[in-house]
């Protein structure tokens, strides 16, 4: 996905495409945090989906709601922050609140710990790469931001022609070990429900032209008795979309869906959402919680 090392954590929250800005540049000097919190509680009770940003100097916090659930808050590098820390650390904050769709909120939350990385090429050539890699996350060029899932745009504005872009995605090389562990556990769990070996081999042969790492003769990505092995030389941008496509095709051939299978806690993990497998939003509370609790 990237052509250069990841960039340092931002000193301001990355821009987001919002369906509606409720308030912007609201100063807690004049509209105190207590009033902001009361307003948020009312909106949350009504099923609010959106994002709140609080910025003071080079310190900031971002909170995300999906369908009335406050998933949590974070700052640069995905570090978790709560309301008490935000009130105390940003007493004179500039606050921005906006609405977005639940799928967009889910991507923002799942990508919270992603580090910015420069995307290869210039727009629109970059778009072809993002589609091929089934990109998940945020694409930013100057103040333009678009939100992506499985290589498709969910919301936002695309970069201008010739622009260089930065991406925020949990599907990055620095997250390689977690991604491999997730796919190892997922394919093992699927295999314990329905035998994958035979149909997986057939699927890999069919998909090897599109995803060369699946070529059974190359032995770069193999699955035997539900145990996944990926050669260390295969990049995340290669093995992740290959595994995602192969699993979908194999399950289609078997006539089953992931919803039919016992997969334990896997659907609640961030990698599940980032793989476009649908299901619960990672981090979502089982019941609606009051803001600040």
């Amino acid at each position: 996905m990237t052509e250069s090392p990841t960039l340092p954590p931002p000193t301001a929250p990355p821009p987001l495409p919002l369906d509606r800005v409720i308030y912007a540049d609201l100063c807690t000097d004049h509209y105190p945090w207590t009033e902001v919190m009361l307003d948020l509680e009312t909106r949350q009770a009504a099923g609010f989906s959106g994002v709140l940003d609080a910025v003071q100097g080079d310190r900031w916090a971002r909170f995300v709601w999906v369908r009335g659930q406050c998933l949590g808050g974070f700052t640069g590098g995905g570090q978790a922050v709560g309301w008490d820390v935000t009130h105390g650390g940003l007493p004179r904050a500039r606050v921005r609140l906006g609405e977005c769709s639940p799928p967009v909120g889910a991507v923002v939350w799942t990508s919270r710990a992603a580090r910015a990385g420069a995307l290869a090429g210039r727009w629109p050539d970059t778009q072809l790469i993002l589609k091929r890699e089934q990109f998940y996350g945020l694409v930013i060029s100057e103040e333009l931001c678009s939100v992506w899932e499985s290589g498709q745009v969910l919301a936002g504005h695309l970069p201008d022609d010739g622009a260089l872009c930065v991406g925020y995605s949990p599907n990055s090389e620095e997250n390689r070990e977690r991604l491999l562990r997730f796919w190892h556990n997922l394919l093992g769990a699927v295999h314990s429900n329905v035998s994958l070996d035979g149909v997986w081999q057939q699927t890999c042969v069919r998909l090897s032209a599109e995803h060369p790492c699946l070529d059974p003769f190359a032995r770069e990505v193999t699955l035997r008795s539900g145990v996944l092995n990926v050669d260390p030389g295969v990049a995340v941008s290669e093995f992740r979309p290959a595994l995602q496509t192969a699993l979908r095709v194999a399950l289609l051939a078997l006539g089953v869906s992931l919803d039919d299978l016992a997969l334990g806690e896997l659907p609640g993990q961030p990698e599940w959402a980032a793989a476009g497998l649908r299901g619960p939003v990672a981090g979502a509370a089982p019941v609606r919680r009051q803001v600040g609790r």
Side-chain angles (χ1 to χ4, degrees):
M1 180 188 75
T2 61
E3 62 179 7
S4 65
T6 52
L7 306 174
T11 56
L16 289 177
L18 299 171
D19 295 337
R20 182 171 75 96
V21 175
I22 298 171
Y23 41 80
D25 206 30
L26 185 71
C27 182
T28 55
D29 269 349
H30 307 294
Y31 194 81
W33 271 114
T34 52
E35 297 298 321
V36 173
M37 300 303 285
L38 288 172
D39 177 58
L40 292 174
E41 288 192 9
T42 300
R43 296 181 188 278
Q44 180 171 297
F48 174 69
S49 292
V51 176
L52 177 140
D53 291 334
V55 180
Q56 183 175 325
D58 60 358
R59 293 177 292 172
W60 60 272
R62 169 168 281 173
F63 287 81
V64 181
W65 287 259
V66 170
R67 298 187 180 93
Q69 293 182 354
C70 182
L71 305 185
F74 62 95
T75 186
Q79 179 181 347
V81 293
W83 290 110
D84 289 345
V85 170
T86 301
H87 299 161
L90 307 174
R92 306 182 69 184
R94 298 281 178 173
V95 178
R96 177 185 180 93
L97 180 69
E99 293 179 349
C100 64
S101 69
V104 168
V107 173
V108 173
W109 176 250
T110 306
S111 304
R112 64 193 181 279
R115 297 284 295 275
L119 300 180
R122 292 181 179 271
W123 201 265
D125 295 339
T126 307
Q127 186 171 16
L128 301 176
I129 300 173
L130 297 179
K131 288 184 176 180
R132 184 177 70 246
E133 296 181 1
Q134 300 180 34
F135 181 82
Y136 181 101
L138 312 179
V139 173
I140 296 173
S141 176
E142 296 182 350
E143 292 302 312
L144 298 178
C145 176
S146 52
V147 178
W148 295 62
E149 182 180 24
S150 297
Q152 302 295 321
V153 180
L154 292 179
H157 301 282
L158 297 179
D160 296 328
D161 286 354
L164 294 172
C165 309
V166 169
Y168 289 82
S169 175
N171 298 324
S172 63
E173 283 295 336
E174 68 177 11
N175 204 30
R176 180 186 182 89
E177 293 306 314
R178 286 192 60 174
L179 288 167
L180 283 172
R181 183 164 58 251
F182 169 78
W183 279 100
H184 180 277
N185 293 339
L186 175 60
L187 292 175
V190 172
H191 183 75
S192 69
N193 284 264
V194 291
S195 178
L196 277 177
D197 281 0
V199 70
W200 185 267
Q201 297 301 323
Q202 298 169 17
T203 297
C204 287
V205 171
R206 289 173 54 193
L207 295 176
S208 59
E210 180 183 356
H211 299 283
C213 66
L214 294 178
D215 186 338
F217 295 102
R219 300 173 62 83
E220 293 180 321
V221 175
T222 61
L223 184 74
R224 287 189 174 86
S225 300
V227 178
L228 173 69
N229 282 291
V230 177
D231 187 276
V234 182
V236 168
S237 59
E238 295 180 63
F239 77 70
R240 193 196 63 82
L243 292 175
Q244 185 174 331
T245 303
L247 179 58
R248 285 175 173 167
V249 173
L251 291 177
L252 184 63
L254 290 168
V256 299
S257 73
L258 289 172
D259 292 338
D260 300 327
L261 308 180
L263 301 176
E265 298 179 353
L266 288 167
Q269 296 184 9
E271 290 78 15
W272 176 282
L277 299 173
R278 305 295 181 181
V281 175
V287 295
R288 183 172 292 143
R289 295 176 295 176
Q290 191 172 2
V291 174
R293 302 298 189 267

